[in-house]
Amino acid sequence: MPTSDSEDFESADEGHGSPVKKERKKRLSSSNYSDNALETDQKSHNTQNLTNSLNKSVEKEGTDGWDDFEIDENEPVSLNVPPSATKVEKKDTKVTNEETMIKESKKSQDTGWDDFDDWGDDEYCSNIQKTEPHKTQSHSLQPDPDIKAVTDRLAAASTGGSSAGWGWGWSVDSLLSTATAGFTNITSQVSQGISTVLETSIGAPDPEELARRNIKEREDESKTSKEESLTPKEVPENKEKDNGEAFQFGSLLSGVTKFVETTSTKVISGGLDTLETIGKKTMAVLEDGDPGLAKKRALLGLGTGDKPVLSQVLREAKAKADEEDKIKEEKREAKEVHYENLFDDFEGLVHLEALEMLSKQVSMRIEERLSGVASEKRQDMKETLQQVAELCEMPEEDDDDEEPPSEDMSKPDVLHERLQTATQDLGLKLQFQPLVKQYKEVLDYVTSDSEATVKAIYKRAVSGLAQATALSVEQYHKAAEMLLVKTRRSTADEADALTQMTVVLTKHISELATLFTEKLNSLPADNKAQTNNYITNIFLEAGNSSTYIQNAFQLALPILQIGAV
Amino acid sequence: MGVGKSCLLHQFTDKKFMADCPHTIGVEFGTRIIEVAGQKIKLQIWDTAGQERFRAVTRSYYRGAAGALMVYDITRRSTYNHLSSWLTDTRNLTNPSTVIFLIGNKSDLDAQRDVTYEEAKQFADENGLMFVEASAKTGQNVEEAFLETAKKIYQSIQDGRLDLNAAESGVQHKPASPGRPLAAPPAARDNCAC
């Protein structure tokens, strides 16, 4: 342990002419330095003990209201909570508390000095000046400025305390309040209640003295600014500490421990014991005849007076939330049955976009080729392109009934077979399973006996159509990509295959629409107009779907054409 | 065996590792909604085929990408050596404002490493690319790579480098659509060296 700390401590204590202080110093010294050898042996042990006792007391803090000491020491006014404060404002109040606490941590520091000033010693200034160089020195010696800062502050506080007249309990309190300012979590309301009691029950300074101290404090503000230059570092630290006492206390402890190693462990643990006793006593006094502090809480404006306001605010908030929920729900529903959004969700749009990009790219290449050949050849090329385009025209609605599907085949299997038959000359391996699977799901849905509302069926219909369309569009996109990397092109076959595929797919869409509308019609209609409206919409969306599919097919045309020129 | 573009995407969108993932044909898509600076953003990622035969096809997809992720395999130097050719394509076919992120995939196979981090980092720095080593298998840095790309795109929009109104910004603003992400989708084209 560097000696700088003890020097620092000593210097802070030196210069007090008062015999009483000398006496105190002696006491301090005796515990601190006289039995140095002994202490070295016990050091780790003592530190351990202190750590434990500190931990204990801090854990208790939450319930014991240790922080009331700081409040007691500072102007209670700063913690006044207007009785009108409602719970809704609690958040604000908390913030204020936090600020207050930070102030407090500074203040308690001031108070430390102040106490000692109060002691009637006029050497305050010279003390500070004397202390200062030592401090600078110790700073340069200390590897960790943060820990040093804490130690300094603790030293300062305890020095002040040691010369103050309120006894050990009090001086350690000011030390502790510095150390624990960041941990205070008890609401200010409760704290104030405690402080009120405390002032009367423990030997707290009387108002006169408080006033005197306040004046002094103001006078000393410029002097203490040196001290405060240390505090900014602490402030964010303190804020953090509010989040989880146990954890951050550990980091602070290292500082405390360090300090303690050079000062008196006995003094502090003794002081802590005293504090603990006072705290327990305080709570006992407070709770006497008022279990759970219910009455005091009520007194402090958390009681019945606020209830109408609070409940009203809550009711309004609830109404507002309900309204927002309703709007959200409506929007969600609107989105849910919005075909384009669903089509996008099933990646139909992005496949269409990608297919469009390919289509444009290939069209440009065709144009390049056209402009790059002699005029008579160009005519041939144009004719070829035209022929391919004609091959891709959709056949007239052919009513020649396809061979009726064999009895032992399920509808999805029939679809699969038709798609494969249609595309067998394409020379590519397209993956139709997703389409077949989706068809199966739709069939399961419409044939199930489960109760479904008209609206639910309608939603499922729009979604089903959007999904089938997206999956179809994907087929054109994939086909286009694979055709472009295909080594041997047979444009006529490819064109015919894609045309056949388009026929199958658009028929499939009609089939899906029919399935859903039949399901709707099978329900007992309590609102026939609404059902009819839904049915009309389903057929509209089916038409929409067919258009998307045919557009996709047309986008694939240049890819077919380029294989021929 | 690829460098793992589809696996990276799958890890990002589904948080799963696809042990045997088939060769990508042309382009596949993945989407995920993320939040950047409190804004919901739908990322639409185009996972392009790495095979050389699809190169002409995938070149068609570069246009309009707001960001590009270029991937190589740290255990195969050949994939790293191809980077400059892929970078040339990316630069030629995208906007100057397109964010390019370099990923050294398969960082879990450190024992088989064939390209040092430092070397790739230097390449990235020289070419103004963002860079991480990631693992689609363990998920290490995967999230970071995609999110950093998105953040960079978002910054470009904020700085005015990326014009939302331009036809090929790769970014659409969708404030009117109910329940939809506010800004959608920086189509990040997932590119690669294979």
Side-chain angles (χ1 to χ4, degrees), chain A residues 377-542:
Chain A
K377 214 172 175 200
R378 188 180 302 153
Q379 201 51 42
D380 287 353
M381 263 180 86
K382 277 187 177 168
E383 270 170 33
T384 312
L385 291 171
Q386 185 55 34
Q387 280 167 5
V388 179
E390 279 165 17
L391 281 171
C392 292
E393 269 166 23
M394 288 293 284
E396 292 292 308
E397 205 66 43
D398 55 337
D399 289 323
D400 60 319
D401 285 352
E402 302 130 339
E403 68 280 27
S406 51
E407 297 297 313
D408 52 320
M409 264 179 107
S410 71
K411 278 178 151 188
D413 286 345
V414 171
L415 173 70
H416 200 189
E417 180 146 315
R418 278 194 186 141
L419 284 167
Q420 279 181 327
T421 311
T423 57
Q424 65 185 355
D425 291 336
L426 192 59
L428 307 171
K429 247 191 119 143
L430 291 174
Q431 303 296 320
F432 296 117
Q433 288 87 350
L435 263 170
V436 174
K437 187 171 166 259
Q438 193 249 348
Y439 186 30
K440 195 174 175 303
E441 282 163 8
V442 171
L443 282 167
D444 287 348
Y445 178 79
V446 295
T447 52
S448 73
D449 294 325
S450 66
E451 285 293 308
T453 62
V454 173
K455 177 144 193 178
I457 295 168
Y458 170 66
K459 275 190 197 169
R460 188 70 171 74
V462 177
S463 155
L465 286 171
Q467 190 180 4
T469 311
L471 290 170
S472 302
V473 167
E474 184 177 347
Q475 294 306 317
Y476 291 96
H477 177 214
K478 284 291 137 201
E481 285 178 334
M482 291 197 278
L483 283 174
L484 282 173
V485 297
K486 198 175 158 202
T487 40
R488 292 165 75 94
R489 301 291 299 267
S490 51
T491 309
D493 287 344
E494 291 160 9
D496 185 54
L498 282 190
T499 310
Q500 293 306 315
M501 183 174 91
T502 310
V503 171
V504 176
L505 288 173
T506 47
K507 274 190 180 158
H508 174 57
I509 293 293
S510 306
E511 157 77 356
L512 290 179
T514 309
L515 284 172
F516 283 114
T517 51
E518 276 173 357
K519 175 80 176 173
L520 277 179
N521 272 328
S522 74
L523 289 183
D526 32 317
N527 188 347
K528 196 70 197 164
Q530 176 71 302
T531 306
N532 283 340
N533 200 10
Y534 282 149
I535 289 171
T536 312
N537 272 345
I538 289 171
F539 280 121
L540 273 173
E541 300 296 12

Side-chain angles (χ1 to χ4, degrees), chain A residues 331 334-335 341-342 344-345 347 350-351 353-355 357-358 361 364-365 474 477-478 481-482 484-485, chain B residues 25-31 42 44 46 53-54 56-57 60-64 174 177-180 189:
Chain A
K331 279 185 180 169
K335 188 207 153 192
N341 282 341
L342 288 162
D344 187 12
D345 288 346
E347 292 185 344
V350 72
H351 276 292
E353 186 190 345
L355 177 58
M357 290 172 104
L358 276 185
Q361 198 74 29
M364 276 160 62
R365 267 159 61 195
E474 184 177 347
H477 177 214
K478 284 291 137 201
E481 285 178 334
M482 291 197 278
L484 282 173
V485 297
Chain B
I25 292 166
V27 66
E28 298 289 347
F29 308 102
T31 54
K42 181 177 167 191
Q44 181 141 70
W46 294 43
R53 65 189 183 115
F54 279 112
V57 169
S60 308
Y61 300 137
Y62 282 67
R63 272 172 68 160
K174 285 193 178 175
S177 218
R180 291 244 126 197
R189 264 68 161 177

Side-chain angles (χ1 to χ4, degrees), chain B residues 99-170:
Chain B
V99 175
I100 307 176
F101 203 112
L102 179 64
I103 301 176
N105 192 26
K106 309 192 188 176
S107 65
D108 53 296
L109 301 176
D110 199 51
Q112 299 162 47
R113 179 185 286 276
D114 205 11
V115 182
T116 65
Y117 176 86
E118 290 73 22
E119 187 181 0
K121 176 71 181 149
Q122 195 187 338
F123 174 81
D125 288 344
E126 279 166 5
N127 291 282
L129 316 174
M130 297 197 282
F131 171 63
V132 288
E133 284 191 346
S135 167
K137 191 173 185 178
T138 66
Q140 188 213 359
N141 277 340
V142 174
E143 188 95 353
E144 287 80 353
F146 283 94
L147 295 187
E148 282 305 310
T149 308
K151 272 188 210 158
K152 199 78 190 281
I153 294 168
Y154 188 80
Q155 268 173 22
S156 299
I157 298 167
Q158 301 298 103
D159 300 349
R161 267 177 288 141
L162 188 63
D163 184 7
L164 283 184
N165 298 317
E168 275 155 13
S169 69

